[in-house]
Amino acid sequence: MPQPASGTSAMRASAGQPVPLLLQRLDELTQIRQVLEQDAHELLARWRSAFPAQRLPFYLARLSGESLTLLRWRRRATTPGAGGRRFELLDAAETALHEQSPAVRRAVFEFERQRVALNYDYALCAYERERLIELLRQRRRLAEARKLLGA
């Protein structure tokens, strides 16, 4: 699987690339994003299998929309309307994880490790993809303006 490019030098270098190469990279990023979204889906399925509903006071949730983050931790409702608030599982002040048995803490920690890595990879890929789409849009507008101006 192709990997996301790293660093700003990759973005600066891509600005001068021919459009076919930029479109190829856009296709690669789209494929990477789809794989990462599938990985998130599979991680959620493993979470639900390991920790059925209501077993823990928090759960792993998939964010909808065009966020650069795929997965977040959310609190379960203890009273109607009070649940679903996101939180950072590993905050020092967070007691939800500390209240669990050592085996549960280890398992949840492994989910957190995978969540962080997945979110990082997804954020890099999604950001590069957004910037590349904008670069292609700007280059198209420049080409249109050049034609209008006869340059």
mmCIF file of all heavy atoms in Angstrom, residues 43-44 46-48 50-51 56-63 69-76 83-91 94 96-97 104-116 119:
data_model
loop_
_atom_site.group_PDB
_atom_site.id
_atom_site.type_symbol
_atom_site.label_atom_id
_atom_site.label_comp_id
_atom_site.label_asym_id
_atom_site.label_seq_id
_atom_site.Cartn_x
_atom_site.Cartn_y
_atom_site.Cartn_z
ATOM 1 N N LEU A 43 -11.336 -2.006 13.789
ATOM 2 C CA LEU A 43 -10.972 -1.746 15.184
ATOM 3 C C LEU A 43 -12.225 -1.569 16.032
ATOM 4 O O LEU A 43 -12.307 -2.091 17.149
ATOM 5 C CB LEU A 43 -10.061 -0.513 15.277
ATOM 6 C CG LEU A 43 -9.491 -0.215 16.665
ATOM 7 C CD1 LEU A 43 -8.613 -1.367 17.161
ATOM 8 C CD2 LEU A 43 -8.699 1.084 16.646
ATOM 9 N N LEU A 44 -13.208 -0.854 15.515
ATOM 10 C CA LEU A 44 -14.474 -0.695 16.235
ATOM 11 C C LEU A 44 -15.161 -2.043 16.447
ATOM 12 O O LEU A 44 -15.709 -2.300 17.531
ATOM 13 C CB LEU A 44 -15.413 0.243 15.478
ATOM 14 C CG LEU A 44 -15.185 1.728 15.688
ATOM 15 C CD1 LEU A 44 -16.034 2.535 14.719
ATOM 16 C CD2 LEU A 44 -15.480 2.125 17.116
ATOM 17 N N ARG A 46 -13.716 -4.961 16.684
ATOM 18 C CA ARG A 46 -12.961 -5.673 17.728
ATOM 19 C C ARG A 46 -13.283 -5.105 19.104
ATOM 20 O O ARG A 46 -13.412 -5.854 20.083
ATOM 21 C CB ARG A 46 -11.465 -5.615 17.441
ATOM 22 C CG ARG A 46 -11.057 -6.492 16.267
ATOM 23 C CD ARG A 46 -9.547 -6.713 16.184
ATOM 24 N NE ARG A 46 -8.737 -5.518 16.229
ATOM 25 C CZ ARG A 46 -8.407 -4.779 15.158
ATOM 26 N NH1 ARG A 46 -8.828 -5.125 13.959
ATOM 27 N NH2 ARG A 46 -7.643 -3.721 15.286
ATOM 28 N N TRP A 47 -13.421 -3.774 19.196
ATOM 29 C CA TRP A 47 -13.782 -3.138 20.467
ATOM 30 C C TRP A 47 -15.143 -3.649 20.943
ATOM 31 O O TRP A 47 -15.292 -4.051 22.097
ATOM 32 C CB TRP A 47 -13.808 -1.609 20.325
ATOM 33 C CG TRP A 47 -14.396 -0.936 21.516
ATOM 34 C CD1 TRP A 47 -15.681 -0.500 21.669
ATOM 35 C CD2 TRP A 47 -13.744 -0.663 22.762
ATOM 36 N NE1 TRP A 47 -15.852 0.034 22.915
ATOM 37 C CE2 TRP A 47 -14.688 -0.052 23.606
ATOM 38 C CE3 TRP A 47 -12.465 -0.870 23.231
ATOM 39 C CZ2 TRP A 47 -14.386 0.348 24.900
ATOM 40 C CZ3 TRP A 47 -12.150 -0.469 24.519
ATOM 41 C CH2 TRP A 47 -13.102 0.131 25.334
ATOM 42 N N ARG A 48 -16.122 -3.640 20.061
ATOM 43 C CA ARG A 48 -17.476 -4.066 20.440
ATOM 44 C C ARG A 48 -17.508 -5.534 20.834
ATOM 45 O O ARG A 48 -18.295 -5.933 21.693
ATOM 46 C CB ARG A 48 -18.443 -3.776 19.300
ATOM 47 C CG ARG A 48 -18.677 -2.295 19.123
ATOM 48 C CD ARG A 48 -19.599 -2.001 17.961
ATOM 49 N NE ARG A 48 -19.710 -0.555 17.776
ATOM 50 C CZ ARG A 48 -19.538 0.052 16.608
ATOM 51 N NH1 ARG A 48 -19.291 -0.653 15.512
ATOM 52 N NH2 ARG A 48 -19.642 1.356 16.529
ATOM 53 N N ALA A 50 -14.860 -7.175 22.174
ATOM 54 C CA ALA A 50 -14.124 -7.300 23.436
ATOM 55 C C ALA A 50 -14.882 -6.686 24.608
ATOM 56 O O ALA A 50 -14.824 -7.198 25.729
ATOM 57 C CB ALA A 50 -12.749 -6.646 23.307
ATOM 58 N N PHE A 51 -15.606 -5.596 24.341
ATOM 59 C CA PHE A 51 -16.294 -4.865 25.399
ATOM 60 C C PHE A 51 -17.732 -4.569 24.971
ATOM 61 O O PHE A 51 -18.028 -3.475 24.486
ATOM 62 C CB PHE A 51 -15.555 -3.567 25.730
ATOM 63 C CG PHE A 51 -14.167 -3.796 26.228
ATOM 64 C CD1 PHE A 51 -13.081 -3.611 25.391
ATOM 65 C CD2 PHE A 51 -13.944 -4.232 27.522
ATOM 66 C CE1 PHE A 51 -11.785 -3.843 25.839
ATOM 67 C CE2 PHE A 51 -12.649 -4.471 27.973
ATOM 68 C CZ PHE A 51 -11.568 -4.276 27.137
ATOM 69 N N LEU A 56 -18.266 -1.064 30.098
ATOM 70 C CA LEU A 56 -17.373 -0.011 30.586
ATOM 71 C C LEU A 56 -18.101 1.333 30.550
ATOM 72 O O LEU A 56 -19.042 1.504 29.779
ATOM 73 C CB LEU A 56 -16.117 0.055 29.700
ATOM 74 C CG LEU A 56 -15.206 -1.172 29.718
ATOM 75 C CD1 LEU A 56 -14.095 -1.015 28.697
ATOM 76 C CD2 LEU A 56 -14.636 -1.410 31.099
ATOM 77 N N PRO A 57 -17.639 2.304 31.334
ATOM 78 C CA PRO A 57 -18.307 3.620 31.339
ATOM 79 C C PRO A 57 -17.904 4.501 30.148
ATOM 80 O O PRO A 57 -18.238 5.682 30.108
ATOM 81 C CB PRO A 57 -17.845 4.240 32.659
ATOM 82 C CG PRO A 57 -16.520 3.601 32.930
ATOM 83 C CD PRO A 57 -16.618 2.201 32.378
ATOM 84 N N PHE A 58 -17.203 3.947 29.178
ATOM 85 C CA PHE A 58 -16.781 4.679 27.985
ATOM 86 C C PHE A 58 -16.759 3.712 26.814
ATOM 87 O O PHE A 58 -16.820 2.495 26.987
ATOM 88 C CB PHE A 58 -15.404 5.324 28.186
ATOM 89 C CG PHE A 58 -14.354 4.359 28.650
ATOM 90 C CD1 PHE A 58 -13.613 3.638 27.722
ATOM 91 C CD2 PHE A 58 -14.102 4.154 29.994
ATOM 92 C CE1 PHE A 58 -12.645 2.734 28.130
ATOM 93 C CE2 PHE A 58 -13.137 3.251 30.411
ATOM 94 C CZ PHE A 58 -12.406 2.539 29.481
ATOM 95 N N TYR A 59 -16.676 4.261 25.621
ATOM 96 C CA TYR A 59 -16.645 3.421 24.428
ATOM 97 C C TYR A 59 -15.903 4.134 23.319
ATOM 98 O O TYR A 59 -15.719 5.355 23.348
ATOM 99 C CB TYR A 59 -18.062 3.045 23.973
ATOM 100 C CG TYR A 59 -18.937 4.216 23.618
ATOM 101 C CD1 TYR A 59 -19.102 4.605 22.290
ATOM 102 C CD2 TYR A 59 -19.620 4.920 24.600
ATOM 103 C CE1 TYR A 59 -19.910 5.679 21.954
ATOM 104 C CE2 TYR A 59 -20.431 5.991 24.274
ATOM 105 C CZ TYR A 59 -20.581 6.363 22.957
ATOM 106 O OH TYR A 59 -21.381 7.433 22.633
ATOM 107 N N LEU A 60 -15.482 3.357 22.356
ATOM 108 C CA LEU A 60 -14.795 3.871 21.176
ATOM 109 C C LEU A 60 -15.855 4.204 20.134
ATOM 110 O O LEU A 60 -16.742 3.397 19.873
ATOM 111 C CB LEU A 60 -13.831 2.807 20.649
ATOM 112 C CG LEU A 60 -12.813 3.216 19.601
ATOM 113 C CD1 LEU A 60 -11.927 4.352 20.093
ATOM 114 C CD2 LEU A 60 -11.950 2.012 19.225
ATOM 115 N N ALA A 61 -15.761 5.398 19.546
ATOM 116 C CA ALA A 61 -16.777 5.851 18.592
ATOM 117 C C ALA A 61 -16.128 6.352 17.319
ATOM 118 O O ALA A 61 -15.051 6.946 17.344
ATOM 119 C CB ALA A 61 -17.610 6.967 19.217
ATOM 120 N N ARG A 62 -16.800 6.124 16.221
ATOM 121 C CA ARG A 62 -16.390 6.620 14.896
ATOM 122 C C ARG A 62 -17.010 7.982 14.701
ATOM 123 O O ARG A 62 -18.200 8.165 14.894
ATOM 124 C CB ARG A 62 -16.881 5.637 13.808
ATOM 125 C CG ARG A 62 -16.785 6.139 12.375
ATOM 126 C CD ARG A 62 -15.342 6.124 11.895
ATOM 127 N NE ARG A 62 -15.234 6.188 10.455
ATOM 128 C CZ ARG A 62 -15.158 7.344 9.775
ATOM 129 N NH1 ARG A 62 -15.228 8.488 10.389
ATOM 130 N NH2 ARG A 62 -15.006 7.319 8.469
ATOM 131 N N LEU A 63 -16.186 8.949 14.318
ATOM 132 C CA LEU A 63 -16.697 10.284 14.029
ATOM 133 C C LEU A 63 -17.210 10.325 12.610
ATOM 134 O O LEU A 63 -16.607 9.766 11.700
ATOM 135 C CB LEU A 63 -15.602 11.334 14.213
ATOM 136 C CG LEU A 63 -15.086 11.529 15.626
ATOM 137 C CD1 LEU A 63 -14.011 12.593 15.648
ATOM 138 C CD2 LEU A 63 -16.203 11.901 16.566
ATOM 139 N N THR A 69 -10.043 13.267 12.236
ATOM 140 C CA THR A 69 -9.958 12.238 13.261
ATOM 141 C C THR A 69 -11.040 11.194 13.013
ATOM 142 O O THR A 69 -12.204 11.543 12.871
ATOM 143 C CB THR A 69 -10.148 12.858 14.660
ATOM 144 O OG1 THR A 69 -9.149 13.856 14.856
ATOM 145 C CG2 THR A 69 -10.033 11.825 15.754
ATOM 146 N N LEU A 70 -10.652 9.940 12.968
ATOM 147 C CA LEU A 70 -11.623 8.870 12.739
ATOM 148 C C LEU A 70 -12.298 8.391 14.016
ATOM 149 O O LEU A 70 -13.499 8.178 14.046
ATOM 150 C CB LEU A 70 -10.925 7.666 12.093
ATOM 151 C CG LEU A 70 -10.605 7.747 10.622
ATOM 152 C CD1 LEU A 70 -9.752 6.557 10.203
ATOM 153 C CD2 LEU A 70 -11.877 7.790 9.812
ATOM 154 N N LEU A 71 -11.499 8.196 15.066
ATOM 155 C CA LEU A 71 -12.004 7.546 16.273
ATOM 156 C C LEU A 71 -11.748 8.400 17.513
ATOM 157 O O LEU A 71 -10.690 8.999 17.652
ATOM 158 C CB LEU A 71 -11.322 6.188 16.451
ATOM 159 C CG LEU A 71 -11.504 5.196 15.306
ATOM 160 C CD1 LEU A 71 -10.551 4.026 15.457
ATOM 161 C CD2 LEU A 71 -12.941 4.717 15.236
ATOM 162 N N ARG A 72 -12.726 8.413 18.401
ATOM 163 C CA ARG A 72 -12.632 9.130 19.677
ATOM 164 C C ARG A 72 -13.223 8.261 20.779
ATOM 165 O O ARG A 72 -14.027 7.380 20.521
ATOM 166 C CB ARG A 72 -13.443 10.430 19.630
ATOM 167 C CG ARG A 72 -12.879 11.479 18.751
ATOM 168 C CD ARG A 72 -12.542 12.678 19.593
ATOM 169 N NE ARG A 72 -12.182 13.778 18.738
ATOM 170 C CZ ARG A 72 -11.047 14.425 18.835
ATOM 171 N NH1 ARG A 72 -10.181 14.091 19.739
ATOM 172 N NH2 ARG A 72 -10.768 15.414 18.038
ATOM 173 N N TRP A 73 -12.847 8.602 21.993
ATOM 174 C CA TRP A 73 -13.472 7.979 23.162
ATOM 175 C C TRP A 73 -14.658 8.833 23.577
ATOM 176 O O TRP A 73 -14.584 10.060 23.556
ATOM 177 C CB TRP A 73 -12.478 7.880 24.318
ATOM 178 C CG TRP A 73 -11.344 6.960 24.025
ATOM 179 C CD1 TRP A 73 -10.063 7.318 23.747
ATOM 180 C CD2 TRP A 73 -11.388 5.537 23.963
ATOM 181 N NE1 TRP A 73 -9.304 6.199 23.514
ATOM 182 C CE2 TRP A 73 -10.095 5.088 23.633
ATOM 183 C CE3 TRP A 73 -12.401 4.592 24.142
ATOM 184 C CZ2 TRP A 73 -9.784 3.734 23.503
ATOM 185 C CZ3 TRP A 73 -12.086 3.252 24.001
ATOM 186 C CH2 TRP A 73 -10.788 2.833 23.691
ATOM 187 N N ARG A 74 -15.725 8.168 23.974
ATOM 188 C CA ARG A 74 -16.922 8.853 24.458
ATOM 189 C C ARG A 74 -17.372 8.187 25.755
ATOM 190 O O ARG A 74 -17.191 7.001 25.957
ATOM 191 C CB ARG A 74 -18.047 8.787 23.427
ATOM 192 C CG ARG A 74 -17.682 9.496 22.147
ATOM 193 C CD ARG A 74 -18.909 10.163 21.573
ATOM 194 N NE ARG A 74 -18.595 10.869 20.343
ATOM 195 C CZ ARG A 74 -18.354 12.153 20.264
ATOM 196 N NH1 ARG A 74 -18.373 12.895 21.341
ATOM 197 N NH2 ARG A 74 -18.088 12.720 19.112
ATOM 198 N N ARG A 75 -17.984 9.003 26.610
ATOM 199 C CA ARG A 75 -18.535 8.501 27.872
ATOM 200 C C ARG A 75 -19.917 7.903 27.627
ATOM 201 O O ARG A 75 -20.656 8.388 26.795
ATOM 202 C CB ARG A 75 -18.683 9.630 28.884
ATOM 203 C CG ARG A 75 -17.391 10.227 29.315
ATOM 204 C CD ARG A 75 -17.626 11.247 30.434
ATOM 205 N NE ARG A 75 -16.410 11.936 30.739
ATOM 206 C CZ ARG A 75 -15.388 11.412 31.405
ATOM 207 N NH1 ARG A 75 -15.472 10.175 31.830
ATOM 208 N NH2 ARG A 75 -14.290 12.089 31.633
ATOM 209 N N ARG A 76 -20.230 6.887 28.393
ATOM 210 C CA ARG A 76 -21.583 6.342 28.368
ATOM 211 C C ARG A 76 -22.461 7.234 29.240
ATOM 212 O O ARG A 76 -22.013 7.809 30.215
ATOM 213 C CB ARG A 76 -21.614 4.927 28.934
ATOM 214 C CG ARG A 76 -20.921 3.959 28.038
ATOM 215 C CD ARG A 76 -21.526 2.584 28.157
ATOM 216 N NE ARG A 76 -20.751 1.669 27.359
ATOM 217 C CZ ARG A 76 -20.934 1.473 26.070
ATOM 218 N NH1 ARG A 76 -21.874 2.110 25.442
ATOM 219 N NH2 ARG A 76 -20.179 0.625 25.412
ATOM 220 N N GLY A 83 -24.689 11.401 28.159
ATOM 221 C CA GLY A 83 -23.612 10.599 27.582
ATOM 222 C C GLY A 83 -23.095 11.145 26.274
ATOM 223 O O GLY A 83 -23.537 12.168 25.768
ATOM 224 N N GLY A 84 -22.157 10.411 25.742
ATOM 225 C CA GLY A 84 -21.627 10.740 24.440
ATOM 226 C C GLY A 84 -20.583 11.826 24.417
ATOM 227 O O GLY A 84 -20.081 12.175 23.360
ATOM 228 N N ARG A 85 -20.227 12.362 25.549
ATOM 229 C CA ARG A 85 -19.212 13.419 25.563
ATOM 230 C C ARG A 85 -17.846 12.803 25.342
ATOM 231 O O ARG A 85 -17.484 11.801 25.947
ATOM 232 C CB ARG A 85 -19.228 14.161 26.889
ATOM 233 C CG ARG A 85 -20.494 14.934 27.079
ATOM 234 C CD ARG A 85 -20.490 15.646 28.398
ATOM 235 N NE ARG A 85 -21.811 16.191 28.608
ATOM 236 C CZ ARG A 85 -22.039 17.404 29.033
ATOM 237 N NH1 ARG A 85 -21.042 18.193 29.336
ATOM 238 N NH2 ARG A 85 -23.268 17.821 29.188
ATOM 239 N N ARG A 86 -17.097 13.450 24.475
ATOM 240 C CA ARG A 86 -15.771 12.907 24.186
ATOM 241 C C ARG A 86 -14.813 13.258 25.308
ATOM 242 O O ARG A 86 -15.002 14.240 26.029
ATOM 243 C CB ARG A 86 -15.279 13.388 22.844
ATOM 244 C CG ARG A 86 -14.841 14.804 22.816
ATOM 245 C CD ARG A 86 -14.345 15.146 21.434
ATOM 246 N NE ARG A 86 -13.333 16.167 21.563
ATOM 247 C CZ ARG A 86 -12.963 16.974 20.617
ATOM 248 N NH1 ARG A 86 -13.517 16.892 19.443
ATOM 249 N NH2 ARG A 86 -12.031 17.863 20.803
ATOM 250 N N PHE A 87 -13.773 12.460 25.436
ATOM 251 C CA PHE A 87 -12.742 12.714 26.438
ATOM 252 C C PHE A 87 -11.471 12.014 26.014
ATOM 253 O O PHE A 87 -11.483 11.152 25.140
ATOM 254 C CB PHE A 87 -13.203 12.267 27.832
ATOM 255 C CG PHE A 87 -13.241 10.772 28.020
ATOM 256 C CD1 PHE A 87 -12.248 10.125 28.728
ATOM 257 C CD2 PHE A 87 -14.267 10.015 27.496
ATOM 258 C CE1 PHE A 87 -12.282 8.745 28.896
ATOM 259 C CE2 PHE A 87 -14.312 8.642 27.663
ATOM 260 C CZ PHE A 87 -13.322 8.006 28.366
ATOM 261 N N GLU A 88 -10.374 12.400 26.618
ATOM 262 C CA GLU A 88 -9.071 11.784 26.352
ATOM 263 C C GLU A 88 -8.836 10.720 27.412
ATOM 264 O O GLU A 88 -8.760 11.008 28.599
ATOM 265 C CB GLU A 88 -7.958 12.824 26.370
ATOM 266 C CG GLU A 88 -8.019 13.795 25.213
ATOM 267 C CD GLU A 88 -7.882 13.119 23.859
ATOM 268 O OE1 GLU A 88 -7.089 12.152 23.731
ATOM 269 O OE2 GLU A 88 -8.586 13.543 22.928
ATOM 270 N N LEU A 89 -8.743 9.511 26.975
ATOM 271 C CA LEU A 89 -8.651 8.360 27.861
ATOM 272 C C LEU A 89 -7.431 8.419 28.776
ATOM 273 O O LEU A 89 -7.498 8.009 29.918
ATOM 274 C CB LEU A 89 -8.608 7.087 27.015
ATOM 275 C CG LEU A 89 -8.707 5.771 27.754
ATOM 276 C CD1 LEU A 89 -10.068 5.638 28.414
ATOM 277 C CD2 LEU A 89 -8.468 4.626 26.809
ATOM 278 N N LEU A 90 -6.312 8.913 28.280
ATOM 279 C CA LEU A 90 -5.064 8.852 29.048
ATOM 280 C C LEU A 90 -4.740 10.127 29.823
ATOM 281 O O LEU A 90 -3.632 10.255 30.341
ATOM 282 C CB LEU A 90 -3.907 8.487 28.111
ATOM 283 C CG LEU A 90 -4.044 7.121 27.437
ATOM 284 C CD1 LEU A 90 -2.859 6.858 26.531
ATOM 285 C CD2 LEU A 90 -4.230 6.009 28.445
ATOM 286 N N ASP A 91 -5.681 11.051 29.926
ATOM 287 C CA ASP A 91 -5.453 12.238 30.765
ATOM 288 C C ASP A 91 -5.187 11.795 32.196
ATOM 289 O O ASP A 91 -5.837 10.882 32.715
ATOM 290 C CB ASP A 91 -6.658 13.179 30.747
ATOM 291 C CG ASP A 91 -6.695 14.045 29.511
ATOM 292 O OD1 ASP A 91 -5.698 14.052 28.760
ATOM 293 O OD2 ASP A 91 -7.719 14.709 29.297
ATOM 294 N N GLU A 94 -8.154 11.602 34.406
ATOM 295 C CA GLU A 94 -9.232 10.721 33.979
ATOM 296 C C GLU A 94 -9.241 9.449 34.824
ATOM 297 O O GLU A 94 -8.254 8.723 34.865
ATOM 298 C CB GLU A 94 -9.070 10.370 32.495
ATOM 299 C CG GLU A 94 -10.169 9.545 31.942
ATOM 300 C CD GLU A 94 -11.536 10.120 32.234
ATOM 301 O OE1 GLU A 94 -11.789 11.282 31.887
ATOM 302 O OE2 GLU A 94 -12.348 9.398 32.830
ATOM 303 N N ALA A 96 -11.755 7.032 34.568
ATOM 304 C CA ALA A 96 -12.512 5.942 33.932
ATOM 305 C C ALA A 96 -11.632 4.725 33.673
ATOM 306 O O ALA A 96 -12.061 3.588 33.872
ATOM 307 C CB ALA A 96 -13.141 6.428 32.636
ATOM 308 N N LEU A 97 -10.398 4.934 33.255
ATOM 309 C CA LEU A 97 -9.504 3.819 32.982
ATOM 310 C C LEU A 97 -8.885 3.275 34.263
ATOM 311 O O LEU A 97 -8.747 2.067 34.427
ATOM 312 C CB LEU A 97 -8.413 4.244 31.999
ATOM 313 C CG LEU A 97 -7.471 3.151 31.509
ATOM 314 C CD1 LEU A 97 -8.241 2.016 30.836
ATOM 315 C CD2 LEU A 97 -6.454 3.725 30.546
ATOM 316 N N VAL A 104 -8.157 -5.327 31.968
ATOM 317 C CA VAL A 104 -8.971 -4.419 31.141
ATOM 318 C C VAL A 104 -8.139 -3.201 30.757
ATOM 319 O O VAL A 104 -8.172 -2.773 29.598
ATOM 320 C CB VAL A 104 -10.271 -4.014 31.875
ATOM 321 C CG1 VAL A 104 -10.972 -2.864 31.167
ATOM 322 C CG2 VAL A 104 -11.197 -5.215 32.007
ATOM 323 N N ARG A 105 -7.379 -2.656 31.693
ATOM 324 C CA ARG A 105 -6.539 -1.493 31.387
ATOM 325 C C ARG A 105 -5.556 -1.813 30.272
ATOM 326 O O ARG A 105 -5.362 -1.015 29.354
ATOM 327 C CB ARG A 105 -5.801 -1.011 32.632
ATOM 328 C CG ARG A 105 -6.678 -0.255 33.599
ATOM 329 C CD ARG A 105 -5.874 0.525 34.617
ATOM 330 N NE ARG A 105 -4.949 -0.275 35.387
ATOM 331 C CZ ARG A 105 -5.155 -0.707 36.626
ATOM 332 N NH1 ARG A 105 -6.268 -0.421 37.252
ATOM 333 N NH2 ARG A 105 -4.240 -1.410 37.244
ATOM 334 N N ARG A 106 -4.923 -3.000 30.329
ATOM 335 C CA ARG A 106 -3.979 -3.389 29.275
ATOM 336 C C ARG A 106 -4.682 -3.508 27.924
ATOM 337 O O ARG A 106 -4.169 -3.029 26.903
ATOM 338 C CB ARG A 106 -3.278 -4.700 29.636
ATOM 339 C CG ARG A 106 -2.170 -4.547 30.654
ATOM 340 C CD ARG A 106 -1.351 -5.820 30.797
ATOM 341 N NE ARG A 106 -2.131 -6.947 31.283
ATOM 342 C CZ ARG A 106 -2.367 -7.204 32.580
ATOM 343 N NH1 ARG A 106 -1.861 -6.408 33.500
ATOM 344 N NH2 ARG A 106 -3.080 -8.249 32.930
ATOM 345 N N ALA A 107 -5.838 -4.126 27.919
ATOM 346 C CA ALA A 107 -6.585 -4.289 26.656
ATOM 347 C C ALA A 107 -7.011 -2.930 26.102
ATOM 348 O O ALA A 107 -6.854 -2.661 24.900
ATOM 349 C CB ALA A 107 -7.807 -5.180 26.879
ATOM 350 N N VAL A 108 -7.520 -2.066 26.965
ATOM 351 C CA VAL A 108 -7.966 -0.736 26.520
ATOM 352 C C VAL A 108 -6.764 0.080 26.058
ATOM 353 O O VAL A 108 -6.846 0.801 25.056
ATOM 354 C CB VAL A 108 -8.750 -0.013 27.637
ATOM 355 C CG1 VAL A 108 -9.015 1.441 27.268
ATOM 356 C CG2 VAL A 108 -10.061 -0.745 27.918
ATOM 357 N N PHE A 109 -5.652 -0.044 26.749
ATOM 358 C CA PHE A 109 -4.447 0.673 26.345
ATOM 359 C C PHE A 109 -4.033 0.266 24.936
ATOM 360 O O PHE A 109 -3.631 1.104 24.131
ATOM 361 C CB PHE A 109 -3.306 0.412 27.335
ATOM 362 C CG PHE A 109 -2.047 1.136 26.989
ATOM 363 C CD1 PHE A 109 -1.895 2.485 27.285
ATOM 364 C CD2 PHE A 109 -1.012 0.492 26.331
ATOM 365 C CE1 PHE A 109 -0.738 3.172 26.944
ATOM 366 C CE2 PHE A 109 0.149 1.169 25.984
ATOM 367 C CZ PHE A 109 0.284 2.511 26.296
ATOM 368 N N GLU A 110 -4.147 -1.025 24.607
ATOM 369 C CA GLU A 110 -3.801 -1.489 23.263
ATOM 370 C C GLU A 110 -4.758 -0.898 22.224
ATOM 371 O O GLU A 110 -4.334 -0.501 21.137
ATOM 372 C CB GLU A 110 -3.805 -3.015 23.186
ATOM 373 C CG GLU A 110 -3.451 -3.558 21.823
ATOM 374 C CD GLU A 110 -2.102 -3.100 21.279
ATOM 375 O OE1 GLU A 110 -1.200 -2.727 22.057
ATOM 376 O OE2 GLU A 110 -1.943 -3.102 20.040
ATOM 377 N N PHE A 111 -6.042 -0.804 22.551
ATOM 378 C CA PHE A 111 -6.987 -0.138 21.652
ATOM 379 C C PHE A 111 -6.604 1.330 21.482
ATOM 380 O O PHE A 111 -6.669 1.867 20.373
ATOM 381 C CB PHE A 111 -8.424 -0.250 22.169
ATOM 382 C CG PHE A 111 -9.093 -1.534 21.808
ATOM 383 C CD1 PHE A 111 -9.206 -2.556 22.744
ATOM 384 C CD2 PHE A 111 -9.608 -1.741 20.536
ATOM 385 C CE1 PHE A 111 -9.825 -3.753 22.419
ATOM 386 C CE2 PHE A 111 -10.231 -2.935 20.196
ATOM 387 C CZ PHE A 111 -10.337 -3.951 21.150
ATOM 388 N N GLU A 112 -6.205 1.965 22.559
ATOM 389 C CA GLU A 112 -5.812 3.375 22.492
ATOM 390 C C GLU A 112 -4.575 3.550 21.613
ATOM 391 O O GLU A 112 -4.494 4.474 20.805
ATOM 392 C CB GLU A 112 -5.563 3.937 23.891
ATOM 393 C CG GLU A 112 -4.985 5.328 23.930
ATOM 394 C CD GLU A 112 -5.896 6.436 23.403
ATOM 395 O OE1 GLU A 112 -6.956 6.144 22.804
ATOM 396 O OE2 GLU A 112 -5.542 7.612 23.567
ATOM 397 N N ARG A 113 -3.610 2.657 21.758
ATOM 398 C CA ARG A 113 -2.408 2.719 20.928
ATOM 399 C C ARG A 113 -2.771 2.623 19.448
ATOM 400 O O ARG A 113 -2.298 3.412 18.625
ATOM 401 C CB ARG A 113 -1.434 1.601 21.319
ATOM 402 C CG ARG A 113 -0.091 1.681 20.616
ATOM 403 C CD ARG A 113 0.716 0.407 20.791
ATOM 404 N NE ARG A 113 0.099 -0.751 20.178
ATOM 405 C CZ ARG A 113 0.046 -0.964 18.843
ATOM 406 N NH1 ARG A 113 0.559 -0.105 18.009
ATOM 407 N NH2 ARG A 113 -0.547 -2.053 18.366
ATOM 408 N N GLN A 114 -3.631 1.692 19.115
ATOM 409 C CA GLN A 114 -4.051 1.525 17.728
ATOM 410 C C GLN A 114 -4.879 2.717 17.247
ATOM 411 O O GLN A 114 -4.743 3.146 16.098
ATOM 412 C CB GLN A 114 -4.852 0.229 17.579
ATOM 413 C CG GLN A 114 -4.011 -1.015 17.788
ATOM 414 C CD GLN A 114 -4.843 -2.274 17.733
ATOM 415 O OE1 GLN A 114 -5.665 -2.437 16.851
ATOM 416 N NE2 GLN A 114 -4.625 -3.171 18.686
ATOM 417 N N ARG A 115 -5.727 3.245 18.112
ATOM 418 C CA ARG A 115 -6.549 4.402 17.764
ATOM 419 C C ARG A 115 -5.677 5.610 17.440
ATOM 420 O O ARG A 115 -5.879 6.287 16.433
ATOM 421 C CB ARG A 115 -7.506 4.751 18.921
ATOM 422 C CG ARG A 115 -8.447 5.918 18.618
ATOM 423 C CD ARG A 115 -9.124 6.418 19.892
ATOM 424 N NE ARG A 115 -8.207 7.182 20.719
ATOM 425 C CZ ARG A 115 -7.957 8.487 20.585
ATOM 426 N NH1 ARG A 115 -8.550 9.191 19.642
ATOM 427 N NH2 ARG A 115 -7.105 9.102 21.390
ATOM 428 N N VAL A 116 -4.684 5.871 18.266
ATOM 429 C CA VAL A 116 -3.799 7.010 18.059
ATOM 430 C C VAL A 116 -3.038 6.869 16.742
ATOM 431 O O VAL A 116 -2.954 7.816 15.952
ATOM 432 C CB VAL A 116 -2.827 7.166 19.259
ATOM 433 C CG1 VAL A 116 -1.704 8.135 18.942
ATOM 434 C CG2 VAL A 116 -3.595 7.617 20.495
ATOM 435 N N ASN A 119 -5.529 7.301 13.800
ATOM 436 C CA ASN A 119 -5.920 8.712 13.652
ATOM 437 C C ASN A 119 -4.790 9.548 13.069
ATOM 438 O O ASN A 119 -5.022 10.426 12.237
ATOM 439 C CB ASN A 119 -6.350 9.305 14.993
ATOM 440 C CG ASN A 119 -7.761 8.928 15.369
ATOM 441 O OD1 ASN A 119 -8.542 8.440 14.563
ATOM 442 N ND2 ASN A 119 -8.096 9.149 16.624
#
